[in-house]
């Protein structure tokens, strides 16, 4: 039943009650509102509450109404099958009402209404709300400051929403909006900028006639207008990097934006105390304008690369970095944006010299040639703006000023070393000044490595000479050495051409670790960083001392230093040249230090970092068993303490998997920990995000088990529940099933026969080709291991394989061809190993009836049709399967059907080619599988058992040559003269190969 005006009092009461602190009042109101939101008229009632003049003072109720309205738009604006949604009549009413209520004084409600309009526009514009922008533009003509501010709030939200739509038609519609609105928005922006600057001048003179509230609203409107201009120029034009067309507004707008920043700056130092609101606005405005310039440069690099745009911008930014005014030193947000702009210009790939050539005597100007010409021009502009001395100056300033730790940094480190480690090393580079300076420095060095290599080495040498390793005081010289060490760490790859790591380590870095004064923690941290960053340059004779240094740092008193050492140790363990032999005697201390560290740290990121180091160490060293008890205690405690923290448990599962692999045949010693974890992870109540990692642990546990223990055997039925929920983990499930088959043997089959049959039936026929290709080898292995029991057990699955072979073509689709060929090979194996079963199945009238429903001819023999598939797919299978097909085809020769003689030529040809080429193929296949594991690694028990099964495959024991001889004699006896006639029709060359294969005289 629809809601109407008479329901407004009830609606108001429910909204008011939903804000109550009394749970007995709030919950019934929330339930009633939830039941009402799908009823027609619900949004209209909410809109009446929002716009009611007599409720203007009830901001909290009106805000709650706007939130319910927003949520209803998301749920019911689109017509859905499961709900009636909002009628077209009500939609028209709501859109009209929204655009008539533009003087909302409450900022939060106005913002929510703007979001509502943007959500509707995403769905309805332009087809169902074509006049949205024309109505807003019309309203702007006569709007006061408040109304225009609200309109620009709506425009910004709506344009932001529409700009994210990716369909070509939607992007064309957005380009149309940009062409209509950019000029108007830009002119208003310029006008407001003049008004603001004039207001600031009057503010400086303490003019009494100035209306501060109006000025602030103008500032806010101008700020929204800035965002709109950014949206229109960034999303309203195709990127010139793709179109190679100049975006004309870029030149004018970028220049004026820079001028605005320069005009605002003189007022920055005037307002902190007198007018903090305007001071905050100036900070926000200057930062936003520089962000807009960066966005324009990234979107339209060629248009921005004009010397009249790019030149003044980079000049301004570098001056603000290298020679900032005193007030600028505290304005970190803006300095970050200046650094980001310079970094963006330096690393822009469109400004790099293009290395592509051109065809001689070809005078056509191709798009690539146009790009090359523009790139050459812009790179020339950048080179003129950044001569060598300016690059050196910038490099020096970054290291000597911005890399140096401040008093507040040291205080923050002292108060919370763990937090400092992550904020300095894990934070996004664009959020804090020092990481941003480091990111700019790295790009600058990459672009000018030959120029800056010697400069950085000289700064490093100066810093080390000015502050020997014996110095303890927190002096500027010590802080400069810390900065210089950081600079050398970040560009290790290029700097290695100018600096010998061995000499540096022996002459300075190792000596730093002999000084244990608390102030040396800043140097110890940088030494740890260097040892991790320079890992590729650490050669054989230095590797052992570096390992010892890292273990010493891992025992440092400072938590930040130990975390840095832990991460660097991880890099060394993961390095291809990691030497276990030289690390072996350090293992006991290393394990203990890591366990202690993971207990001490509190933050999630810290725990994950140390856990990654432990997991990596387990995976790389062979000496794990002596420390197994300690590791088990660690995992047990870690799992219990991480209850409810899925992200931490994912890391623990990965580490446990490495532990199982490292233990190998000894892995059952940790089953008392692993089995309960598996049990909880694969149950239906377990969080979905743990399932993938739990299954990987399950698979590793089975693969490395010397035999399947009873506690592991009982988990198999969980796979059915997992695959009934989703086939997302089918590949891993297939590997787990294979483990149970090859290791569990007949005990497994006896216990879980019906579950296995159900599982295969669930998968085969219900997954795509890729899924089938992961499960079909298991069916083949099952038939091979249990030829008597399995075919009857999985009869439904085998029938599906027959359907796959005989219905539908593969249309030259490689995956479909492979599926059909693999299915055919399995059916051939069934025929060879359980001939009676397949003969009975293919002659079953019910199977024929089912096939006929798919268009299969009633007069055809199912078995003979399978023969056609075997003949067709013999070249699409591996060598073992080729022999299986050959044996199956030779058995077909014993049938009493006269149609066999029609296929005799093809059957004999295939069998001959298999006999003559089979031994070479088999030898190649066996050698490739034997090389999967290196000579030093322990082969998992699953792999050993798989090899045994392959070696003992009855197919390998049967001689196709003898089988073919015997079955040819049977065929000759069955068909007499007709057989001789068929043989005589064979091509002489084919008959000659047959005689050669069968060693006939």
């Amino acid at each position: 039943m629809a809601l109407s005006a008479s329901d407004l009092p009830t609606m108001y009461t429910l909204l008011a009650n939903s804000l109550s602190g009394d749970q007995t009042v709030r919950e019934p109101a929330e339930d009633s509102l939830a039941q009402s939101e799908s009823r027609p008229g619900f949004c209209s009632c909410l809109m009446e509450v929002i716009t009611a003049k007599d409720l203007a003072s009830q901001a909290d109720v009106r805000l709650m109404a706007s939130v319910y309205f927003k949520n209803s738009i998301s749920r019911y604006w689109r017509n859905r099958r499961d709900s009636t949604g909002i009628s077209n009549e009500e939609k028209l009413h709501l859109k009209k009402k929204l655009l008539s209520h533009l003087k909302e004084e409450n900022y939060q409600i106005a913002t929510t209404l703007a979001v509502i309009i943007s959500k509707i526009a995403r769905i309805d514009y332009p087809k169902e709300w074509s006049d949205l922008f024309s109505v807003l533009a019309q309203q702007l003509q006569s709007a006061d400051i408040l109304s225009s501010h609200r309109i620009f709030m709506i425009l910004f939200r709506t344009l932001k929403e529409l700009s994210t739509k990716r369909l070509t038609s939607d992007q064309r519609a957005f380009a149309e909006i940009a062409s209509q609105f950019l000029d108007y928005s830009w002119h208003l922006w310029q006008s407001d900028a003049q008004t603001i600057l004039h207001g600031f001048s009057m503010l400086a003179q303490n003019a009494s006639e100035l209306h501060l509230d109006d000025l602030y609203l103008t500032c806010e409107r101008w700020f929204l207008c800035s965002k709109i201009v950014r949206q229109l120029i960034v999303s309203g034009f195709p990127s010139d990097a793709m179109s190679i067309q100049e975006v004309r507004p870029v030149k004018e707008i970028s220049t004026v934006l820079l001028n605005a920043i320069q005009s605002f700056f003189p007022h920055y130092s005037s307002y902190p105390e007198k007018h903090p609101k305007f001071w905050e606005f100036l900070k926000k405005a200057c930062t936003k304008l520089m962000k807009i310039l960066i966005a324009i440069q990234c979107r339209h690099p060629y248009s921005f690369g004009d010397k009249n745009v790019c030149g003044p911008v980079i000049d301004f930014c570098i001056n603000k970095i290298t020679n900032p005014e005193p007030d600028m030193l505290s304005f970190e947000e803006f300095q970050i944006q200046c650094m980001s702009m310079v970094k963006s210009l330096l690393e822009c790939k469109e400004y790099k010299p293009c290395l592509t050539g051109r065809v001689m005597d070809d005078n056509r100007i191709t798009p690539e040639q146009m790009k090359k010409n523009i790139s050459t021009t812009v790179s020339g502009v950048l080179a003129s703006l950044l001569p060598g001395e300016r690059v050196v100056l910038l490099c020096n300033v970054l290291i000597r000023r911005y890399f140096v730790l401040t008093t507040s940094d040291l205080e923050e480190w002292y108060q919370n070393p763990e937090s400092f480690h992550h904020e300095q090393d894990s934070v996004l580079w664009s959020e804090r000044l020092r990481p941003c300076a480091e990111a700019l420095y790295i790009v600058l060095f990459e672009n000018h490595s030959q120029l800056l290599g010697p400069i950085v080495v000289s700064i490093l040498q100066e810093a080390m000479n000015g502050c020997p390793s014996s110095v303890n005081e927190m002096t500027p010289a010590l802080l400069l050495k810390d900065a210089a060490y950081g600079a050398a760490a970040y560009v290790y790859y290029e700097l290695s051409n100018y600096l010998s790591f061995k000499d540096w380590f022996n002459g300075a870095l190792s000596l730093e670790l002999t000084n244990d004064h608390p102030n040396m923690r800043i140097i110890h941290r940088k030494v740890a960083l260097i040892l991790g960053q320079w890992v590729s340059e650490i050669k054989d004779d230095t590797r052992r001392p570096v390992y010892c240094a890292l273990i010493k740092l891992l025992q440092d008193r400072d938590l930040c230093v130990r975390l840095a050492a832990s991460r660097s140790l991880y890099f060394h363990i993961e390095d291809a040249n990691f030497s276990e032999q030289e690390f072996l005697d350090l293992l006991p201390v290393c394990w203990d230090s890591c366990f202690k560290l993971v207990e001490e740290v509190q933050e999630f990121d810290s725990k994950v970092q140390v856990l990654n180091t432990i997991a990596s160490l387990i995976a790389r060293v062979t000496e794990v068993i002596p420390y197994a008890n300690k590791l088990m205690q660690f995992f047990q405690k870690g799992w219990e303490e991480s209850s409810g923290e899925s992200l931490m448990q994912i890391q623990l599962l990965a580490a446990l998997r490495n532990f199982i692999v490292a233990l190998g045949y000894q892995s059952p010693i940790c089953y008392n920990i692993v089995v309960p974890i598996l049990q909880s992870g694969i149950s239906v109540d377990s969080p979905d995000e743990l399932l993938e990692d739990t299954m990987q642990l399950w698979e590793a546990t089975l693969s490395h088990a010397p035999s399947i223990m009873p506690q592991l055997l009982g988990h198999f039925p969980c796979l059915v529940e997992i695959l009934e929920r989703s086939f997302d983990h089918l590949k891993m499930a297939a590997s787990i099933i294979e483990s149970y088959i090859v290791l569990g043997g007949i005990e497994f089959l006896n216990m879980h026969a019906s579950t296995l049959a159900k599982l295969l039936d669930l998968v085969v026929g219900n997954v795509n080709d890729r899924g089938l290709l992961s499960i079909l080898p298991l069916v083949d292995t099952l038939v091979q291991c249990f030829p008597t029991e399995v075919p009857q057990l999985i009869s439904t699955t085998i029938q599906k394989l027959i359907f796959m072979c005989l219905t539908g073509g593969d249309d030259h689709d490689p995956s479909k061809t492979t599926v059909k060929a693999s299915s055919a090979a399995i059916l051939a194996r069934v025929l060879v190993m359980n001939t009676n079963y397949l003969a009975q199945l293919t002659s079953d009238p019910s199977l024929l009836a089912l096939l006929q429903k798919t268009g299969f001819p009633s007069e055809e023999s199912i078995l003979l049709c399978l023969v056609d598939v075997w003949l067709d797919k013999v070249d699409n299978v591996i060598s073992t399967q080729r022999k299986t097909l050959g044996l199956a085809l030779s058995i077909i020769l014993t049938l009493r059907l006269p149609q066999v003689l029609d296929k005799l030529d093809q059957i004999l040809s295939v069998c001959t080619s298999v006999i003559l080429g089979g031994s070479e193929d088999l030898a190649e296949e066996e050698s490739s599988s034997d090389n999967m594991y290196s000579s030093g690694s322990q082969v998992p028990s699953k792999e050993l058992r798989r090899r045994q099964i392959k070696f003992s495959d009855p197919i390998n024991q049967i001689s196709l040559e003898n089988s073919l001889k015997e079955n040819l004699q049977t065929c000759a006896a069955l068909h007499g003269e007709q057989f001789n006639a068929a043989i005589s029709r064979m091509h002489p060359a084919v008959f000659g190969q047959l005689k050669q294969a069968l060693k006939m005289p």
Side-chain angles (χ1 to χ4, degrees):
M1 185 175 171
L3 295 168
S4 63
S6 62
D7 296 297
L8 278 174
T10 307
M11 183 65 67
Y12 173 80
T13 304
L14 289 173
L15 289 166
N17 288 345
S18 71
L19 292 163
S20 173
D22 185 345
Q23 190 174 350
T24 59
V25 176
R26 186 179 67 254
E27 288 187 351
E30 289 174 344
D31 292 341
S32 297
L33 286 167
Q35 290 167 14
S36 301
E37 65 181 9
S38 60
R39 291 170 65 185
F42 178 70
C43 290
S44 296
C45 279
L46 293 173
M47 194 68 205
E48 292 303 321
V49 172
I50 294 165
T51 58
K53 291 182 180 178
D54 57 330
L55 296 177
S57 61
Q58 302 291 320
D60 54 348
V61 175
R62 295 194 305 118
L63 179 59
M64 182 58 73
S66 69
V67 171
Y68 269 97
F69 189 5
K70 175 171 69 81
N71 294 339
S72 294
I73 296 301
S74 301
R75 291 173 189 149
Y76 301 109
W77 196 267
R78 290 185 194 273
N79 292 323
R80 301 181 187 277
R81 277 178 280 178
D82 56 347
S83 73
T84 54
I86 301 170
S87 68
N88 290 333
E89 293 78 12
E90 188 177 1
K91 285 180 181 179
L92 287 170
H93 167 73
L94 290 169
K95 286 189 278 194
K96 187 176 179 182
K97 193 85 174 173
L98 283 163
L99 292 183
S100 66
H101 186 67
L102 298 175
K103 275 199 167 187
E104 175 56 60
E105 293 188 2
N106 184 283
Y107 184 82
Q108 283 182 293
I109 296 172
T111 302
T112 310
L113 291 174
V115 171
I116 289 168
I117 291 171
S118 71
K119 285 179 173 291
I120 295 172
R122 184 177 183 88
I123 300 167
D124 280 10
Y125 184 83
K127 291 182 180 178
E128 304 297 330
W129 205 1
S130 57
D131 63 343
L132 168 61
F133 291 101
S134 60
V135 170
L136 290 172
Q138 191 176 357
Q139 298 264 32
L140 272 173
Q141 306 302 321
S142 57
D144 56 20
I145 292 178
L146 177 63
S147 299
S148 61
H149 176 272
R150 299 315 191 222
I151 291 170
F152 271 96
M153 188 185 283
I154 292 166
L155 282 170
F156 167 64
R157 294 282 177 181
T158 305
L159 291 171
K160 186 178 180 181
E161 190 73 47
L162 294 177
S163 69
T164 60
K165 298 178 79 173
R166 298 269 66 94
L167 291 178
T168 306
S169 58
D170 292 323
Q171 291 182 344
R172 274 200 303 267
F174 194 87
E176 183 106 10
I177 298 167
S179 66
Q180 293 171 5
F181 259 87
L182 183 58
D183 283 346
Y184 179 83
S185 302
W186 181 235
H187 288 135
L188 182 66
W189 184 95
Q190 290 175 295
S191 172
D192 277 353
Q194 291 303 317
T195 304
I196 293 166
L197 287 168
H198 177 68
F200 285 170
S201 297
M202 293 180 69
L203 202 60
Q205 299 165 22
N206 295 316
S208 58
E209 68 272 19
L210 189 63
H211 296 287
L212 294 182
D213 288 344
D214 284 355
L215 178 60
Y216 189 71
L217 263 178
T218 304
C219 289
E220 286 292 300
R221 181 177 69 185
W222 172 89
F223 193 77
L224 280 170
C225 202
S226 300
K227 292 180 174 182
I228 289 168
V229 168
R230 177 204 178 280
Q231 210 72 56
L232 292 172
I233 200 165
V234 168
S235 301
F237 298 86
S239 171
D240 63 7
M242 302 296 292
S243 66
I244 325 176
Q245 297 289 323
E246 182 186 357
V247 180
R248 293 189 180 278
V250 166
K251 192 181 295 186
E252 180 197 347
I253 289 174
S254 299
T255 304
V256 176
L257 291 178
L258 181 62
N259 290 339
I261 295 172
Q262 292 169 321
S263 301
F264 281 143
F265 259 114
H267 301 281
Y268 174 73
S269 59
S270 308
Y271 303 143
E273 293 176 2
K274 288 183 181 178
H275 303 287
K277 193 159 68 167
F278 289 109
W279 185 66
E280 286 297 329
F281 164 75
L282 278 167
K283 287 175 65 178
K284 186 171 71 169
C286 292
T287 304
K288 173 57 72 175
L289 291 178
M290 189 54 74
K291 282 184 175 181
I292 293 171
L293 283 171
I294 294 169
I296 293 173
Q297 188 276 326
C298 291
R299 176 69 172 172
H300 305 299
Y302 292 145
S303 302
F304 194 91
D306 184 282
K307 65 179 180 181
N308 296 317
V309 178
C310 176
V313 170
I314 197 170
D315 201 49
F316 172 83
C317 289
I318 290 178
N319 283 336
K320 291 297 177 190
I321 296 167
T322 58
N323 190 27
E325 299 86 347
D327 293 325
M328 269 292 296
L329 294 174
S330 62
F331 194 177
E332 288 195 1
E333 299 94 324
F334 188 74
Q335 287 184 302
I336 286 171
Q337 296 313 315
C338 288
M339 290 180 184
S340 298
M341 171 56 88
V342 177
K343 177 178 177 289
S344 182
L345 287 164
L346 288 175
E347 67 184 352
C348 179
K349 68 178 187 296
E350 283 79 17
Y351 299 163
K352 304 293 183 188
C354 187
L355 301 178
T356 56
R358 60 183 297 179
V359 179
M360 291 179 65
D361 301 325
D362 185 356
N363 296 319
R364 290 174 301 170
I365 304 297
T366 63
E368 288 304 316
Q369 188 62 39
M370 290 170 68
K371 287 183 181 181
K372 184 176 181 180
N373 294 341
I374 300 170
S375 297
T376 303
T377 304
V378 179
S379 59
V381 171
L382 285 176
S384 67
L385 292 166
L386 283 168
E389 60 271 17
R390 202 172 194 191
V391 171
V392 171
L393 172 65
L394 181 56
C395 177
N396 263 289
V397 168
L398 289 172
I399 296 171
R400 295 174 186 274
R401 181 183 302 158
Y402 294 102
F403 283 19
V404 175
L405 293 170
T406 63
T407 306
S408 61
D409 289 330
L410 295 171
E411 180 62 26
E412 184 185 340
W413 185 342
Y414 179 77
Q415 293 295 334
N416 193 339
E418 189 178 348
S419 176
F420 182 82
H421 166 78
H422 292 294
E423 284 195 6
Q424 293 298 315
D425 294 322
S426 305
V427 78
L428 285 172
W429 63 267
S430 59
E431 291 180 5
R432 292 187 61 150
L433 186 59
R434 187 178 304 99
C436 190
E438 290 165 355
L440 171 58
Y441 162 75
I442 290 167
V443 174
L444 185 72
F445 194 96
E446 286 173 353
N447 283 21
H448 304 278
S449 59
Q450 290 185 333
L451 172 65
L452 295 179
I455 300 297
V456 173
V457 171
S458 70
I459 295 172
L460 179 65
Q461 201 64 52
E462 174 197 333
M464 291 191 297
N465 292 339
C467 182
S469 57
S470 57
V471 171
N472 295 331
E473 293 79 17
M474 194 66 75
T475 60
L478 185 70
L479 294 171
L480 177 61
K481 183 163 72 169
D482 171 73
Y485 276 0
Y490 302 133
V491 292
Y492 63 93
Y493 185 76
E494 297 284 354
L495 201 61
S496 60
N497 296 323
Y498 305 93
L499 182 64
S500 162
F501 177 82
K502 181 180 178 181
D503 295 343
W504 186 24
F505 179 78
N506 292 331
L509 298 180
S510 59
L511 299 179
E512 304 286 10
L513 303 185
T514 61
N515 187 343
D516 290 329
H517 191 278
N519 284 344
M520 288 300 290
R521 70 185 191 277
I522 68 168
I523 300 300
H524 289 177
R525 173 173 168 265
K526 281 293 163 65
V527 171
L529 174 68
I530 290 163
L531 297 183
Q533 293 292 314
W534 282 70
V535 62
S536 60
E537 300 303 316
I538 297 171
K539 306 306 179 190
D540 293 342
D541 53 346
T542 320
R543 192 166 285 122
R544 166 72 183 182
V546 167
Y547 290 164
C548 294
L550 282 170
I551 297 301
K552 181 176 173 61
L553 288 164
L554 201 57
Q555 300 170 81
D556 197 276
R557 286 174 293 186
D558 187 89
L559 200 54
C560 190
V561 173
R562 288 157 66 194
L563 283 167
S566 165
R567 184 172 51 196
S568 292
L569 180 61
Y570 171 81
F571 293 147
H572 279 267
I573 296 165
E574 288 292 302
D575 182 47
N577 296 315
F578 174 69
S579 171
E580 184 183 350
Q581 192 60 40
E582 295 188 20
F583 197 82
L584 206 56
D585 64 316
L586 302 173
L587 268 175
V589 182
C590 184
W591 287 123
D592 288 342
S593 300
C594 286
F595 295 154
K596 187 179 177 184
L597 182 56
V598 86
E599 281 185 19
E600 279 189 41
V601 295
Q602 300 298 316
E603 295 190 13
F604 170 78
D605 288 340
S606 305
K607 289 182 181 291
V608 168
Q609 182 187 304
V610 184
L611 192 53
N612 282 339
T613 304
I614 291 171
S616 182
L617 198 56
I618 291 170
R620 287 304 298 267
V621 301
T622 52
E623 292 290 322
V624 170
I625 292 175
Y627 313 101
N629 287 332
K630 283 188 176 181
L631 281 163
M632 284 190 284
Q633 289 170 17
F634 163 73
F635 284 123
Q636 182 79 53
K637 187 176 180 183
W639 188 261
E640 290 169 358
E641 291 178 352
S642 64
S643 177
E645 297 179 25
S646 295
L647 290 173
M648 177 61 73
Q649 291 191 331
I650 286 170
Q651 302 295 326
L652 281 165
L653 288 167
L656 262 174
R657 182 183 178 280
N658 286 355
F659 186 42
I660 288 285
V661 172
L663 290 173
Y665 303 147
Q666 303 294 319
S667 58
I669 65 175
C670 68
Y671 280 6
N672 59 329
I673 296 171
V674 171
V675 172
I677 289 174
L678 282 179
Q679 202 159 359
S680 66
I682 59 181
S683 72
V684 290
D685 301 324
S686 174
D688 287 345
E689 57 266 25
L690 292 181
L691 183 58
E692 181 178 354
D693 294 275
T694 306
M695 289 185 72
Q696 288 177 356
L697 176 61
W698 189 4
E699 193 275 338
T701 305
L702 291 169
S703 294
H704 294 81
S707 61
I708 293 195
M709 308 294 180
Q711 57 264 53
L712 292 176
L713 207 54
H715 288 157
F716 183 75
C718 293
L719 276 177
V720 177
E721 295 173 356
I722 291 169
L723 294 179
E724 280 178 340
R725 276 187 280 169
S726 164
F727 289 128
D728 290 347
H729 308 293
L730 179 61
K731 190 172 182 180
M732 186 54 61
S735 183
I736 291 169
I737 297 166
E738 184 188 31
S739 299
Y740 276 107
I741 293 168
V742 301
L743 292 171
I746 194 68
E747 182 187 358
F748 159 70
L749 192 68
N750 290 338
M751 183 180 287
H752 295 298
S754 59
T755 305
L756 180 62
K758 182 180 179 181
L759 207 153
L760 292 175
D761 191 39
L762 174 67
V763 174
V764 177
N766 296 314
V767 297
N768 60 19
D769 293 334
R770 195 169 71 173
L772 281 170
L773 291 175
S774 65
I775 216 77
L776 289 178
L778 306 183
V779 182
D780 189 62
T781 303
L782 271 170
V783 175
Q784 177 188 332
C785 295
F786 314 107
T788 309
E789 303 89 342
V790 160
Q792 190 65 48
L793 175 67
I794 61 167
S795 188
T796 310
T797 299
I798 290 178
Q799 287 186 36
K800 288 182 180 180
L801 297 185
I802 293 172
F803 270 79
M804 285 181 205
C805 288
L806 301 186
T807 59
D810 50 39
D811 300 322
H812 306 291
D813 181 334
S815 60
K816 289 189 183 301
T817 300
T818 308
V819 166
K820 203 167 190 175
S822 299
S823 302
I826 292 169
L827 294 171
R829 179 182 285 279
V830 174
L831 181 67
V832 173
M833 301 182 73
N834 196 336
T835 308
N836 291 337
Y837 167 78
L838 194 69
Q840 289 173 7
L841 182 64
T842 52
S843 59
D844 187 343
S846 62
L847 177 62
L848 184 60
L850 287 171
L851 281 168
Q852 285 171 0
K853 289 180 181 178
T854 65
F856 186 78
S858 58
E859 67 280 358
E860 292 283 354
S861 160
I862 295 174
L863 198 52
L864 287 178
C865 288
L866 284 177
V867 170
D868 291 334
V869 177
W870 291 333
L871 292 169
D872 181 47
K873 300 301 176 190
V874 71
D875 292 326
N876 300 113
V877 295
I878 61 173
S879 56
T880 308
Q881 293 174 324
R882 280 170 60 83
K883 184 178 180 184
T884 307
L885 293 178
L887 287 167
L889 289 170
S890 77
I891 290 171
I892 294 298
L893 295 175
T894 63
L895 298 180
R896 294 181 179 276
L897 300 172
Q899 296 96 317
V900 169
L901 296 179
D902 298 333
K903 305 176 190 297
L904 184 64
D905 192 349
Q906 291 173 279
I907 290 171
L908 293 178
S909 177
V910 166
C911 292
T912 301
S913 67
V914 172
I915 292 169
L916 294 177
S919 58
E920 293 176 14
D921 291 342
L922 281 170
E924 184 180 335
E925 196 177 302
E926 284 170 15
S927 66
S928 66
S929 69
D930 288 343
N931 291 332
M932 283 175 61
Y933 295 89
S934 61
S935 56
S937 63
Q938 188 183 61
V939 180
S941 48
K942 173 184 174 179
E943 180 58 30
L944 282 175
R945 179 64 186 132
R946 186 195 278 144
R947 291 180 186 178
Q948 290 171 358
I949 289 171
K950 184 177 178 181
F951 182 74
S952 60
D953 187 350
I955 297 293
N956 293 337
Q957 317 305 322
I958 301 171
S959 166
L960 176 57
E961 181 185 336
N962 294 339
S963 175
L964 186 59
K965 278 181 184 177
E966 293 172 13
N967 292 337
L968 269 175
Q969 291 172 358
T970 304
C971 188
L974 286 171
H975 300 286
E977 285 302 319
Q978 290 175 310
F979 171 82
N980 293 332
I983 288 290
S984 66
R985 289 194 296 271
M986 287 180 67
H987 191 281
V990 175
F991 188 69
Q993 287 181 328
L994 176 65
K995 290 173 69 176
Q996 179 188 347
L998 299 182
K999 299 181 177 62
M1000 294 166 58

